[in-house]
């Protein structure tokens, strides 16, 4: 992976060598062609859905189509690397979240630096996870689910989006809190994992609410608890982990957009403004809220706020994850 890095540096140097006036003129003409949103997980999953909802609405403000590219593998670290090594011109944007832009740095030997090679654009909505099982698990609540998992220890399996993904970290955390053991099955995203849960191929997922909510409502899978201190307004019948029997299992998966380091400030501002306008759209707000996604407060919708959150989460989670000795696939 040395070549892309060198190519990236060459491009960054060339961009920096442009006279200031032509850089400003160039940024003013942005975007002059379609923008690619790099989604590091499979189509049909929660990251993909976030990119599509935002991209669809941002297209109007930017006047250019937003193309979605799913670059999957290694819990999103391959896709994020693609953006870290892309030209810093605003045409390749990383759609990521808590696990891709925080957790992966503690697990993988990345050939990029999450804080130095990418710059934050804007914070996007966040959601907790739901503890969901296939429909025919004979448990009426979380305590019964835990008892069932213990009784069937060698026969149960949970799907996740790969070592270090939000679902994977949550499943390990859940095993530690509840004393359960089950097989962890990696997928290229929780979209395909959810399909297998509905089909009964796996037993469990700790899945982002935005992904499994529709299936829970349709009754095709069962939900036992939400990984937050408070219940979800859009699914108020589901108890919190504290109420249900996995106390303290709080995980909030917050999303954001990042671009390669060296991207002109005006370009970052255009992208950020388009995302902020999308989040202010009542139709987008209703759609997100319906799926358990919470908008960041307006004062948090800045590149600085996303950068500060990412740094604070790295400080909080890297020691926890390193202590748990979670290994890359
Ligand atoms: N972000 C999800 C996870 O980490 C996977 C996905 O978006 O498909 O579990």
């Amino acid at each position: 992976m040395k070549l892309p890095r060198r190519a990236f540096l060459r491009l960054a140097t060339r961009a920096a060598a442009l006279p200031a006036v032509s850089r400003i003129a160039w940024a003013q003409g942005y975007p002059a062609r379609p923008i690619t949103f790099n989604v590091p997980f499979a189509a049909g999953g929660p990251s993909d859905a976030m990119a599509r909802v935002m991209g669809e609405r941002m297209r109007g403000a930017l006047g250019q189509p937003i193309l979605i590219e799913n670059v999957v593998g290694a819990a999103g670290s391959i896709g994020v690397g693609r953006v870290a090594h892309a030209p810093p011109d605003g045409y390749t944007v990383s759609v990521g979240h808590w696990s891709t832009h925080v957790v992966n740095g503690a697990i993988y030997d990345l050939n990029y630096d999450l804080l130095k090679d990418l710059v934050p654009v804007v914070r996007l909505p966040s959601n907790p996870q739901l503890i969901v099982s296939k429909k025919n698990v004979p448990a009426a609540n979380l305590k019964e689910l835990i008892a069932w998992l213990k009784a069937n220890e060698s026969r149960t399996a949970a799907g996740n989006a790969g070592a270090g993904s939000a679902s994977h970290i949550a499943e390990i955390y859940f095993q530690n809190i509840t004393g359960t053991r089950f097989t962890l099955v990696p997928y290229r995203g929780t979209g395909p994992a959810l399909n297998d849960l509905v089909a009964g191929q796996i037993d469990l997922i700790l899945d982002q609410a935005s992904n499994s909510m529709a299936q829970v409502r349709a009754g095709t899978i069962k939900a036992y608890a939400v990984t937050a201190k408070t219940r979800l307004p859009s699914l108020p019948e589901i108890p919190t982990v504290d109420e249900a029997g996995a106390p303290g299992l709080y995980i909030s998966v917050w999303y954001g957009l990042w671009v390669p380091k060296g991207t002109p400030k005006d370009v970052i501002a255009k992208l950020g403004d388009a995302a902020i306008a999308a989040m202010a759209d009542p139709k987008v707000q209703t759609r997100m809220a319906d799926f358990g996604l919470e908008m960041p407060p307006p004062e948090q919708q800045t590149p600085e706020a996303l950068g500060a959150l990412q740094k604070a989460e790295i400080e909080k989670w890297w020691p926890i994850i390193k202590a748990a000795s979670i290994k890359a696939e």
Side-chain angles (χ1 to χ4, degrees), residues 39-49 75-76 96-100 129 159-162 164-169 171 187-193 205-208 210-211 253 255:
V39 174
F41 294 103
S47 307
D48 186 66
H97 58 51
W98 170 70
S99 74
T100 53
Q129 289 158 310
N160 60 60
S165 62
S167 40
H168 180 254
I169 299 295
E171 285 161 9
Y187 288 79
R188 292 175 161 241
T190 47
I205 311 180
L206 265 77
D207 193 19
Q208 285 176 48
S210 63
N211 197 41
V253 183
Y255 282 85

Side-chain angles (χ1 to χ4, degrees), residues 148-162:
W148 181 80
L149 287 167
K150 285 183 176 166
N152 291 281
E153 191 168 285
S154 54
R155 291 187 295 270
T156 48
N160 60 60

Side-chain angles (χ1 to χ4, degrees), residues 46 97-100 102-103 107 123 125-131 160 162 164-177 190 205-210 225-232 239-242 246-255 292-294 309 313 316-317 320-321 324 326:
H97 58 51
W98 170 70
S99 74
T100 53
V102 171
V103 175
I107 296 185
R123 185 173 156 191
S126 44
N127 65 158
Q129 289 158 310
L130 291 173
I131 301 173
N160 60 60
S165 62
S167 40
H168 180 254
I169 299 295
E171 285 161 9
I172 291 179
Y173 201 169
F174 175 82
Q175 289 187 332
N176 291 346
I177 288 182
T190 47
I205 311 180
L206 265 77
D207 193 19
Q208 285 176 48
S210 63
V226 56
T227 66
K229 289 184 185 164
T230 52
R231 293 186 181 206
L232 280 173
T240 67
V241 278
D242 295 335
L249 175 50
Y250 311 134
I251 291 188
S252 168
V253 183
W254 46 265
Y255 282 85
L293 286 154
E294 199 187 326
L309 175 67
E313 291 276 84
K316 174 182 170 185
W317 285 97
I320 298 174
I321 288 163
I326 298 166

Side-chain angles (χ1 to χ4, degrees), residues 15-40:
L18 280 178
V21 177
S22 77
R23 249 185 294 152
I24 292 165
W26 178 86
Q28 275 168 354
Y30 171 85
R33 57 184 168 87
I35 295 167
T36 299
F37 272 8
N38 178 301
V39 174

